[in-house]
Amino acid sequence: MRVSVIQMNQGSDKAANLEQARRLVEAAVEADRPGLVTLPETWTNLGGGRESRRLAAEALPPEGSGAAGGPAYEMLRGLARRHGIHVHGGSMIEDGGEKLFNTTVVFDPAGGEIARYRKIHLFDITGPDGTGYRESALYGAGDRLVTFEAGGVTFGCTICYDIRFAEEYLALRRLGAEAIFVPSNFTLQTGKDHWEVLMKARAIESQCWILAAASWGQYEERGATRSVYGHSLVADPWGHVVAKVSDGTGWATARIDRAVTARVRRDMPVLEHRAARRVDFEAAARRVDFEGAARRVDLDAAVRPATP
Ligand SMILES: O=C(O)CNC(=O)[C@H](CS)NC(=O)CCC(=O)C(=O)O
């Protein structure tokens, strides 16, 4: 299965963002004939403060209802149906009533919604340049792990800042994922030092393909100009970056080769090795059995539960 990661330069004009996404998806489909395309995080709006996000937000139809949604939701469905492809809609701003959610929706080639994921880890941090981010002031956090099947491949869903939480990727691998999405608005400040390292690290440790469509360029946020890093990429389960988008908008296409996944997992069976040791390191770190100049935790039955 071929996958195209789409790189956008969206701002706070929702209609223009929809048009840009449609144009890029159609150009990628025309050029590379992918079976699946994936968009960046919050491709329907970037910046413009609380007001712009509220305006761009769409209430989603009840999951599984098949009912119609808003303009962005229906555009994704239309692209999937028209081109006979799977569309992973990066993330949209979901109007969840009280709170917004940073939410992925996925459509199959018939235009049916087959998966929905809300970003679990919210970006409440201070960047190295002193810029503060408080995503949780506006967005609620997701509480579900999500995988779906497309073209014989099991895909896992994550969004942006989730990339820093390795456990989520290992859990998705356990659920059968072979490729994991990370649609992103990575900041330039964090991206220049962390982006590619994190993407490769998650690919290597989960032994999954990493599909990261990103926003690129500048946008306005409450009178200031901010930059997002771009560098949309696909990494294979060995951690090789096999496709990458240059500066600007565009896309890159890679083939998910299941034989590569199988070989990497067979030759380096880290999942089996982890299972064989069965250490609950989190539980171990909550306990100390000896404390002197050194600290020691015995990996006994309390942190190594018997095989079920
Ligand atoms: O604000 C919105 O509307 C949508 N949310 C985002 O763009 C979020 C919060 S500001 N961005 C990230 O998570 C960047 C993570 C990142 O850059 C890192 O982990 O280093």
Side-chain angles (χ1 to χ4, degrees):
M1 137 106 79
R2 269 194 312 282
V3 178
S4 296
V5 291
I6 309 278
Q7 181 158 297
M8 287 180 59
N9 176 25
Q10 74 274 34
S12 54
D13 178 341
K14 183 178 176 182
N17 296 335
L18 264 60
E19 181 52 28
Q20 183 182 155
R22 192 191 54 72
R23 191 175 51 74
L24 286 166
V25 167
E26 293 194 323
V29 166
E30 166 87 10
D32 294 345
R33 299 278 157 215
L36 183 151
V37 298
T38 172
L39 290 165
E41 182 181 20
T42 63
W43 63 275
T44 57
N45 180 86
L46 192 54
R50 181 179 291 256
E51 218 24 58
S52 179
R53 289 178 174 80
R54 279 261 164 225
L55 279 172
E58 296 183 9
L60 299 180
E63 209 172 349
S65 69
Y73 184 91
E74 290 304 319
M75 192 192 88
L76 295 176
R77 189 208 299 282
L79 284 168
R81 200 155 39 195
R82 187 153 63 253
H83 299 292
I85 56 173
H86 280 88
V87 174
H88 171 278
S91 76
M92 307 180 20
I93 304 182
E94 177 191 353
D95 183 348
E98 284 279 283
K99 283 268 184 188
L100 302 175
F101 291 94
N102 193 331
T103 305
T104 297
V105 290
V106 184
F107 293 91
D108 69 15
E113 185 193 329
I114 55 167
R116 190 180 291 191
Y117 168 77
R118 288 170 164 175
K119 186 179 187 180
I120 291 177
H121 301 94
L122 299 180
F123 194 54
D124 292 348
I125 71 116
T126 303
D129 60 348
T131 308
Y133 299 86
R134 219 158 80 74
E135 192 173 24
S136 67
L138 207 51
Y139 292 91
D143 50 14
R144 278 187 189 167
L145 284 175
V146 175
T147 68
F148 65 92
E149 200 274 329
V153 176
T154 301
F155 292 88
C157 294
T158 71
I159 298 175
C160 196
Y161 186 53
D162 285 330
I163 194 71
R164 296 177 183 275
F165 302 88
E167 325 76 76
E168 188 174 348
Y169 294 76
L170 294 179
L172 289 170
R173 162 81 195 271
R174 283 220 185 278
L175 285 169
E178 186 168 352
I180 301 178
F181 294 96
V182 203
S184 298
N185 297 322
F186 238 66
T187 72
L188 178 63
Q189 287 294 324
T190 54
K192 68 183 172 54
D193 297 327
H194 295 172
W195 170 261
E196 194 158 322
V197 183
L198 285 170
M199 296 296 154
K200 290 166 110 171
R202 293 300 88 83
I204 293 165
E205 92 220 327
S206 70
Q207 301 178 314
C208 286
W209 296 76
I210 294 287
L211 313 171
S215 311
W216 171 90
Q218 304 195 313
Y219 67 96
E220 300 301 317
E221 189 77 77
R222 285 168 275 123
T225 299
R226 288 187 181 174
S227 298
V228 271
Y229 185 66
H231 293 73
S232 303
L233 60 78
V234 177
D236 76 7
W238 187 251
H240 286 306
V241 173
V242 295
K244 178 148 71 164
V245 183
S246 191
D247 289 326
T249 60
W251 69 88
T253 303
R255 188 168 55 91
I256 295 185
D257 183 345
R258 303 201 60 204
V260 171
T261 324
R263 178 167 47 75
V264 167
R265 293 178 178 187
R266 181 197 65 211
D267 292 350
M268 194 180 281
V270 287
L271 211 63
E272 285 81 347
H273 293 158
R274 187 177 286 106
R277 296 298 301 160
R278 306 187 320 275
V279 179
D280 182 346
F281 284 102
E282 299 257 348
R286 286 191 290 271
R287 211 179 81 193
V288 176
D289 295 310
F290 174 84
E291 180 133 39
R295 233 182 208 187
R296 204 182 69 213
V297 178
D298 296 326
L299 301 182
D300 58 18
V303 296
R304 294 194 60 211
T307 346

